Every structure is written in C-alpha cells, then in structure tokens.
Amino acid sequence: MRVLFGIILGALLTVGATYVYDSHSALAATKDQAGTHRPLVNWDVVATKWDRLTVRARHEWTHLAG
C-alpha cells in the first residue's frame, strides 16, 4: 500500500512542480519578448485531453454500472 501511495504522490509532485516551473517561465517569457523561454507543457492541450478522459470514464462507468 505504501508503494502505491508513493507512486501517486510522486506523480502529483512531478506534475505540480512542472506546472509551477511553467507558470514561472510563462511570466519570464512575457517580460522577454525574444521568446527564448518556452513552457515545457502546453497546458491547453492537457486540459482538453483531461476533459475527454473524464467524459469517457464517466460514460464507461455509467455503461458498466447501468
């Protein structure tokens, strides 16, 4: 059980740290007009894919539980 908790915690920390780093880089990129700072992740694409995943998971759950 501790291993599963560690894996989940590690994934959350990784995504959280990447989000914080990208947020900081985005602020630096707006100040630096040369565009040398690019974010690591396109968060709009991540949000779209997450929405699709949750809709599909809900659909499958209602299909299985239905």
Side-chain angles (χ1 to χ4, degrees), residues 2-37:
R2 284 195 251 172
V3 173
L4 181 62
F5 179 71
I7 291 170
I8 292 170
L9 183 63
L12 290 175
L13 284 173
T14 301
V15 171
T18 304
Y19 180 77
V20 169
Y21 178 80
D22 276 357
S23 296
H24 183 348
S25 294
L27 292 175
T30 58
K31 293 177 185 174
D32 181 24
Q33 297 299 328
T36 56
H37 298 295

Side-chain angles (χ1 to χ4, degrees), residues 17-61:
T18 304
Y19 180 77
V20 169
Y21 178 80
D22 276 357
S23 296
H24 183 348
S25 294
L27 292 175
T30 58
K31 293 177 185 174
D32 181 24
Q33 297 299 328
T36 56
H37 298 295
R38 292 182 47 189
L40 295 173
V41 178
N42 187 348
W43 293 103
D44 295 332
V45 173
V46 172
T48 303
K49 291 190 180 226
W50 180 255
D51 289 338
R52 285 185 197 163
L53 176 71
T54 56
V55 167
R56 185 172 177 184
R58 286 183 188 140
H59 175 71
E60 289 297 324
W61 178 254

